[in-house]
Amino acid sequence: MGGASLFSVLVSEAPIALAEELARFAPGDGEAGGLGLFLGLVRGEAGGKALAALSLEHYPGMTERAISGILEEARTRWPLLGGRIVHRVGRLAPGEPIVLVIATAAHRAPALAATHFLIDWLKTRAPFWKKEIYADGSEAWVAARAEDEEMAARWQALSGAPGGVAPAPAR
Amino acid sequence: MGGASLFSVLVSEAPIALAEELARFAPGDGEAGGLGLFLGLVRGEAGGKALAALSLEHYPGMTERAISGILEEARTRWPLLGGRIVHRVGRLAPGEPIVLVIATAAHRAPALAATHFLIDWLKTRAPFWKKEIYADGSEAWVAARAEDEEMAARWQALSGAPGGVAPAPAR
Amino acid sequence: MSSTSVRLRYFAWLRERLKCESEEIALPPEVQTVGDLIALQRRRGPEFATLFAPTSVIRAAVNQNFATPNTPVGPGDEVAFFPPVTGG
Amino acid sequence: MSSTSVRLRYFAWLRERLKCESEEIALPPEVQTVGDLIALQRRRGPEFATLFAPTSVIRAAVNQNFATPNTPVGPGDEVAFFPPVTGG
C-alpha cells in the first residue's frame, strides 16, 4: 500500500461516516498493530444552558492546509503508518460527532500518543470557530480555552523528544 | 440512559463488529463530549518471521471477571460515562482486530487517558495467552514483555492521583 | 484585484461585528507587515479601533498561513483576521 | 468433587507441557496456601519439578482471582496455574 494515501484529511458538512472511516484501517494490512481514535461529540449543554445546536465556521483552503500540517508534524514525532482527520462544519445537533482523529502504528504507544497530540493541536491550530445556539434561541461564539492552549503547549515543549511524553490530562 | 449498561465487556470467538460497537456511543447522548478508542490488530510478522495466525487462549469466567475489574478500576480514576472492552479468542489472521477498548467522558482528556490505561492494564492483568503460528508451520507461545509490565506499572504508581498523568509511550 | 491592493477576510465574531466577510483595500506603501496593517485598520473607524486595539485577541493569517505582527504583507496578498480558534 | 480435593487448571504452555487441562487432586492437610500447593506440585515428577521450580515465572489464581504464594487454598477451591498473560 502506498504510504501517502493512508494519511488524509476531510472537512465536510456531511455527517462523519464512522464505519467507513474505521474500515480504512481495520482490518489492517498486517503492518499496523495499534489504532488510536478520538471522536469529539456535541454536548447537550454549555455553561449550564441547554444547547440546540453548534454552528461551525471555518476558513476553506486554510483549514485543510493547517490540518495537513498538523498530521505532518505528528509523522515527524512518531513512526505512524496511517492518519485520518475528519472535521464537520455547518450546523450540528447535540450528540453528533464533530471531529474524528485516527492514527495507526506498529505498536499501541505511538498510535495513542499521536491521537492525543493530533486532537490537542487541532483544537488550537486549525481555523475553526464554534458558535453555540441555545435552546432559548440566544447564541454566543465559544471563547478559546486557556486549558486547550496549555494542553497543546505541553507537546510543543516536548517537540525535541521524538515519541515524547503524553501531556497530563486536564480535569 | 442507565449508567451501568454503558459499561460492558465481551470475550468472543466472533470477529469484532466495529460499526456496531461504535454505534453504542456515537451519536452520543449529549453528555459525552469525547470518545477514546484503541483497536489492536494482528501484525503479519513476529520476530522477523512471517505469521500465519495467532491463537488466543483464555480462562473462561476469570477473563470476564478480570476485565470487568479493570473497567471498574478505570471508573474510580476518571469520571467516565461509558466503557466497552471486546477481546477476541481463538484463531485470528493477520490484520484482524484482536482487542477493542472504548471510553467516553464529558471531555477528551479523561476519555483518552482511560483508553490508554485500559489497554495497558488489559495486557498485563487479563488472563489471555497468545500463540504465534508462523507461515513455515512452526509455532511458539508469546513471552510476556517487560515493557508492557512497565507501562502498566506507571499507572499503578499514579493510582493515588485521580485522572493521573498518562505514561510515557514506549518506542 | 488592483496591483496595489490586498484581499482582507474576516471570520466568526469579527465578521459579524464588521458586517463583512471579505473586502479589497488599497495598500499604502508604508504598510509592510501585518502589524502595519493592523495599525491601518484601527484608523478606519470606532468599531475597527475597538476590534484591532492593541489589547485585542485577534489573530491573523497571510496567504492562509498563521502570521505574526512581523509577517510581511505585499500587494496581492490575502490577509485574514479572526478570533482564537475553537474547533475540535 | 471429594470434600478434601481441589480442582487444578492449567493454561497455555503449562497445559501443553503437562498434557493436562484440568485435574482433581487430594489436598493434604499441610497444604494451606498457594505456596504449599506449588511445593506439592514440585514433588509430582521431573516435569512438575521443572515447571514449578522456585525460579519459574508461573502465576496462579484461586477461584478465578489472581493469587500470591500466601493466598489460602482449601478443599473445593479451583486453583489455576499459567504463564504471565499476553493478551491485548
Side-chain angles (χ1 to χ4, degrees):
Chain A
M1 273 183 221
S5 67
L6 291 178
F7 293 87
S8 62
V9 161
L10 174 67
V11 177
S12 168
E13 293 201 10
I16 300 175
L18 293 175
E20 287 84 344
E21 292 296 342
L22 256 180
R24 290 171 176 269
F25 300 103
D29 54 8
E31 275 196 75
L35 179 154
L37 180 153
F38 176 78
L39 188 68
L41 299 160
V42 179
R43 301 187 65 219
E45 65 88 33
K49 297 176 76 171
L51 204 72
L54 271 189
S55 174
L56 261 288
E57 181 171 335
H58 79 303
Y59 185 168
M62 180 172 171
T63 309
E64 291 81 353
R65 179 195 296 224
I67 301 178
S68 296
I70 291 165
L71 208 43
E72 283 307 307
E73 174 64 29
R75 295 179 71 179
T76 68
R77 291 172 176 236
W78 294 278
L80 301 183
L81 295 170
R84 172 78 168 164
I85 296 176
V86 183
H87 205 299
R88 288 283 304 273
V89 291
R91 190 182 171 98
L92 283 80
E96 281 196 89
I98 179 170
V99 59
L100 172 72
V101 169
I102 296 177
T104 64
H107 302 288
R108 75 185 182 286
L112 286 168
T115 300
H116 205 154
F117 167 86
L118 286 167
I119 186 62
D120 283 354
W121 273 43
L122 191 70
K123 283 198 170 257
T124 53
R125 284 166 173 79
F128 292 101
W129 300 275
K130 275 191 195 113
K131 180 190 267 185
E132 290 168 350
I133 300 162
Y134 306 106
D136 65 11
S138 64
E139 45 182 65
W141 289 96
V142 174
R145 302 193 319 157
E147 204 176 303
D148 284 335
E149 215 26 90
E150 284 156 24
M151 284 180 76
R154 287 209 182 89
W155 294 106
Q156 192 134 46
L158 296 162
S159 65
V165 176
R171 292 299 298 275
Chain B
M1 274 184 222
S5 66
L6 291 177
F7 293 86
S8 61
V9 161
L10 174 66
V11 177
S12 169
E13 292 200 10
I16 300 176
L18 293 175
E20 287 83 345
E21 293 297 341
L22 256 180
R24 291 171 175 267
F25 300 104
D29 55 8
E31 275 197 76
L35 179 154
L37 180 154
F38 176 77
L39 187 68
L41 299 160
V42 180
R43 301 187 66 218
E45 66 89 29
K49 296 176 77 172
L51 204 72
L54 271 188
S55 174
L56 261 288
E57 181 170 336
H58 79 305
Y59 185 168
M62 179 171 172
T63 308
E64 291 81 354
R65 177 194 297 223
I67 301 178
S68 297
I70 290 166
L71 207 44
E72 283 307 307
E73 174 65 28
R75 294 178 72 178
T76 68
R77 292 173 176 235
W78 295 277
L80 301 183
L81 296 170
R84 172 77 169 163
I85 296 175
V86 183
H87 205 298
R88 289 282 306 272
V89 291
R91 190 181 173 100
L92 283 81
E96 281 197 87
I98 178 169
V99 59
L100 171 73
V101 169
I102 296 178
T104 65
H107 301 288
R108 75 185 181 287
L112 286 169
T115 300
H116 205 152
F117 167 85
L118 286 167
I119 185 62
D120 283 354
W121 273 43
L122 191 72
K123 282 194 171 260
T124 54
R125 285 166 172 77
F128 292 101
W129 301 274
K130 276 192 195 110
K131 179 190 268 187
E132 290 168 350
I133 300 161
Y134 305 106
D136 65 11
S138 63
E139 46 182 65
W141 289 96
V142 174
R145 302 195 319 158
E147 203 176 303
D148 285 335
E149 212 31 85
E150 284 157 23
M151 285 181 77
R154 287 208 183 90
W155 294 105
Q156 190 134 44
L158 296 162
S159 64
V165 176
R171 292 299 299 276
Chain C
M1 189 153 68
S2 134
S3 65
T4 58
S5 67
V6 288
R7 165 67 52 187
L8 300 186
R9 302 184 67 170
Y10 304 105
F11 291 94
W13 50 257
L14 198 60
R15 171 179 56 70
E16 289 183 346
R17 293 275 294 271
L18 293 174
K19 295 180 180 62
C20 178
E21 279 186 29
S22 180
E23 61 175 339
E24 192 180 320
I25 65 163
L27 195 67
E30 72 274 16
V31 173
Q32 305 277 327
T33 66
V34 168
D36 297 339
L37 189 55
I38 288 171
L40 179 71
Q41 292 281 75
R42 229 175 265 152
R43 296 195 293 271
R44 292 178 65 188
E47 187 74 337
F48 277 95
T50 305
L51 293 170
F52 288 88
T55 54
S56 166
V57 297
I58 281 176
R59 310 296 164 90
V62 174
N63 298 328
Q64 306 193 353
N65 290 306
F66 285 106
T68 69
N70 295 325
T71 304
V73 171
D77 282 347
E78 173 176 300
V79 183
F81 294 107
F82 43 78
V85 305
T86 56
Chain D
M1 190 151 69
S2 137
S3 63
T4 59
S5 67
V6 287
R7 165 67 51 187
L8 300 187
R9 301 185 66 171
Y10 305 105
F11 292 94
W13 50 256
L14 198 58
R15 170 179 56 72
E16 288 184 347
R17 293 273 296 270
L18 292 174
K19 295 181 180 61
C20 177
E21 279 186 29
S22 179
E23 61 175 336
E24 194 181 320
I25 65 162
L27 196 66
E30 72 273 17
V31 172
Q32 306 277 329
T33 66
V34 168
D36 296 341
L37 190 54
I38 288 171
L40 180 71
Q41 293 280 78
R42 229 176 266 153
R43 295 195 293 272
R44 293 178 64 189
E47 188 75 334
F48 278 93
T50 304
L51 293 171
F52 288 87
T55 55
S56 166
V57 296
I58 281 175
R59 311 296 163 89
V62 175
N63 298 328
Q64 306 192 352
N65 290 306
F66 285 105
T68 68
N70 295 325
T71 304
V73 170
D77 283 347
E78 173 176 300
V79 182
F81 294 106
F82 44 77
V85 305
T86 57

